[in-house]
Amino acid sequence: MPKVVFIMTDTQRYDMVNANVQTGLKTPCLDKLAASGMRFTQAYTTQPVCQPARAAIFTGLYPHSCNSWTNSMALSEDVHTIGQRLRDNNIHTAYIGKWHLDGGDYFGWGKCPDGWDEEYWYDMRNYLEELTEEERRMSRNTNSMKTHDYSPEFTYAHRCSNRAIEFLKKNGQKQDFFLTVSYDEPHGPYLCPREYWEQYENYEFPQSPNIKDTLEGKPDYQKVWAGPRLQQDRNDIHLNNKYFFGCNSFVDMEIGRVLDAIKEYAGEDVTVIYTSDHGDMLQSHCMYAKGPACYEEICHIPLFMAGKGIAAGSVSSQPVSHINLTPTILDIFGVKPSPMMPGKSILPQAKGECGRINNYCFIEFGRYEVDHDGFGGYQPMRAVFDGRYKLSINLMSTDELYDLQTDPHEMKNLIDSPEHYEIARRLHKEILNNMNVTRDPFRGYYWERRSWRKDAAQATWDYTGYTRQSEDDYRPRQLDYATGMEMEQATRTKERLKEEQEIAKKK
């Protein structure tokens, strides 16, 4: 009986987990999980924003393919989540915690979406509705921790853990199940018991050399993002957000409660997957929070997987992506993935049966969100990482190329380097091809015709002429425009359509 518990946090950088990088932050429960299975050292989000990142995780589609390329935009009606797919294969599915895919505000609508057990559904609106008006305001005010000693029981994280533990008590031995526990922590505004943040009163997070990045040769919008930080004395920067780091350790403790319950109520034969949606700039490159960039601080995320057939203490240094997670979970349950899903299962990689699943990991950006959008507006980006080189095409600004082997802090933009032209050209082709085959609605000649690209095709209205119809197995196969018959190939060019039209005329 396959059983999977999927645990995720929000805004937890790769280097905020001690098992990945020893910075002085305390994450003993996650460290223990990492030691019990495989730790992926090159895992990447598909977009460093809450909702788009989750869209890829829970649908297996890139944000641009499922209408969730920004926060506050609901999934398309023809998009099916992993909850629906597993539920329809007689697997018990439950989702507890932050959802962020219903098109509502930050907290959600408080209503269980199709595919999940309503008994355990608990998004952030449900939590807020349990509080008084005064408590609501306090829960959204970081400074309230100075005057109030919050118990774990008051927090959203603790209540999510309680529900997860209750699910495991009732269902741990019964049947196949897929349980998601999605924490908001350590995302701000921060809320945790005093004992967790007080331990970081005099702590400073280790600084990367890119704290002093002048952004020379970088995109203009990044300089706008940095704003007055570019004029600061960068020798006087101190990364000492005790509340952020306190919540990081607090959510680790809450995850530990769930991990203990898995062992107690569901036994050893459970696959546990843990990740975070994205990171935080923390002043690297003179920027803060997350947004339209592909820097390691916000795109490189933690990912652990432990379970049957996965060697304890194993490490994979090959690039993997959130786009791999839905196919991986479906693989564990023996459920066939949708042909629309571009990612592949990394279960064979986790089990050591193969070295590398992905040649490339793709990352994107559309915009941030609607409600509290102070993050630069529309800044379209498409990027690719091959395990060493990272290319970002910033449609309305300068493109970027970094060699993470020689420049791990991404200080030197190599986009205009003659010695690296062929590398950039190869990666650029991969981005353009991925946009075509994944039905990217923003594709067009302007992504190819970049100032550095010497052999870009002439601008034409049809461009490459690619089209892609839905192959989703929940609906009848779509009909071909030229013949009215069921399509033969979902991904094809307009030249193919013209050929089919000519054949139809002759018939």
Side-chain angles (χ1 to χ4, degrees), residues 95-128:
Y95 195 105
I96 300 166
K98 183 174 179 178
W99 175 239
H100 221 331
L101 294 177
D102 56 15
D105 55 30
Y106 184 81
F107 308 105
W109 294 120
K111 297 179 180 178
C112 182
D114 183 49
W116 309 96
D117 188 337
E118 290 187 17
E119 181 179 352
Y120 297 97
W121 176 260
Y122 187 67
D123 70 5
M124 293 187 72
R125 183 172 291 259
N126 297 137
Y127 166 67
L128 289 177

Side-chain angles (χ1 to χ4, degrees), residues 460-477:
T460 61
W461 200 245
D462 285 347
Y463 186 44
T464 57
Y466 255 84
T467 186
R468 186 183 189 189
Q469 290 177 267
S470 175
E471 297 177 90
D472 192 81
D473 42 6
Y474 276 78
R475 297 174 182 269
R477 197 164 178 82

